[in-house]
Amino acid sequence: MSGRVFRLHSTLELPLEDVEDYFENDPELPPEIDDVDITRRNNTLIIKAVSDDESISKYTPTAQLKASVTETRVYEEEPPRAGGPQWMDDEEEEIPSELVEFACFKGDRETVLQNTALQYPMFLVLREIALQAEKGTLTAITDKDGELSATRIVEGEDRPASVEVVESPQGNGEGNGGVDWRDNEFISE
C-alpha cells in the first residue's frame, strides 16, 4: 500500500488509559506495521511504528505519533459555579472527582505525525485512535494509490468530508506579486 499525508490537523483528547488499552488489546495494524513502541518522556507520549519490511534500515526513523500528556480533574457531576446561591455554602459537600491523565494529539502534521517512513500506515493508526476519542477532531487530506481523499472525524464519529480544489487567492499564478531581482536598481552588478 502506498500513500501520503498532505494535510493533517488534530485536536484529539482521550484518556491515556484508553490509548494504552487500545494497544494492549492487539488492534489490527496496517500490514506495513509489525508493531508499535510506546514510550513516555515526561509529559510526552510517543507511539512509534515498527516496520515489518527488512529493506527499511533500523536507523531509518519510522513514523511516530506524538501526544502531550496532561492531568485533568474529572468530576462525577458538574461542580458548582462561583457566584452561585450563598445558601449552599452552609453544607459545603465535596463532589467526588479524580485526576485523569489525557493524551492530547494536538497540532498539524509535523507536530502529531512525524517522519515519512510508514507515514500513511501510521496515519491509519491515528484514524483508529480518533474513532475512540470522545473529544476533539481529526481532519486530513491523504493520497492512497494516486487517489486523494479527505478524512474528518469529530468526537469519535466519522463525518463526511471532501477535497475541493479552489483558485489561489494570490491570483492566477502569473508571478506579478514578487520582486524582479534581475531589474532591481538596489542590487549592484
Side-chain angles (χ1 to χ4, degrees):
M1 169 194 323
S2 66
R4 292 177 50 195
V5 180
F6 292 108
R7 292 196 183 266
L8 181 142
H9 183 75
S10 174
T11 60
L12 300 173
E13 286 184 34
L14 61 162
L16 179 59
E17 187 176 317
D18 290 358
V19 175
E20 291 169 341
D21 289 347
Y22 173 76
F23 287 108
E24 285 174 7
N25 291 330
D26 287 330
E28 189 173 321
L29 298 172
E32 300 86 357
I33 299 176
D34 189 42
D35 197 6
V36 293
D37 282 338
I38 301 174
T39 55
R40 182 169 172 185
R41 295 185 198 131
N42 298 324
N43 291 331
T44 303
L45 181 71
I46 299 171
I47 304 167
K48 184 176 179 178
V50 177
S51 175
D52 71 337
D53 188 353
E54 300 284 327
S55 69
I56 295 180
S57 167
K58 67 179 182 177
Y59 301 108
T60 301
T62 56
Q64 62 185 21
L65 301 175
K66 193 173 179 184
S68 59
V69 178
T70 61
E71 278 189 346
T72 303
R73 182 160 299 280
V74 177
Y75 294 91
E76 289 184 17
E77 57 187 69
E78 189 69 30
R81 296 186 180 168
Q86 297 301 320
W87 53 268
M88 288 183 67
D89 291 343
D90 297 339
E91 309 167 11
E92 190 64 38
E93 190 176 305
E94 190 170 318
I95 298 171
S97 66
E98 64 177 315
L99 275 177
V100 177
E101 288 185 309
F102 280 84
C104 304
F105 297 90
K106 293 188 173 186
D108 294 322
R109 187 180 69 184
E110 284 303 312
T111 308
V112 177
L113 178 60
Q114 301 174 333
N115 304 332
T116 54
L118 301 177
Q119 186 180 65
Y120 182 76
M122 205 56 177
F123 165 74
L124 297 177
V125 172
L126 178 62
R127 190 180 184 288
E128 289 303 313
I129 292 172
L131 292 170
Q132 312 290 320
E134 294 179 10
K135 186 175 181 184
T137 62
L138 172 69
T139 57
I141 297 175
T142 57
D143 166 34
K144 179 182 175 197
D145 300 326
E147 185 82 22
L148 287 179
S149 66
T151 300
R152 184 170 158 241
I153 299 173
V154 179
E155 296 174 351
E157 185 180 314
D158 209 350
R159 300 273 176 92
S162 62
V163 177
E164 181 180 351
V165 178
V166 295
E167 187 174 322
S168 172
Q170 283 100 12
N172 303 356
E174 296 169 1
N176 293 339
V179 175
D180 185 0
W181 293 105
R182 291 192 174 108
D183 293 330
N184 191 321
E185 62 185 88
F186 298 107
I187 298 175
S188 60
E189 293 183 33

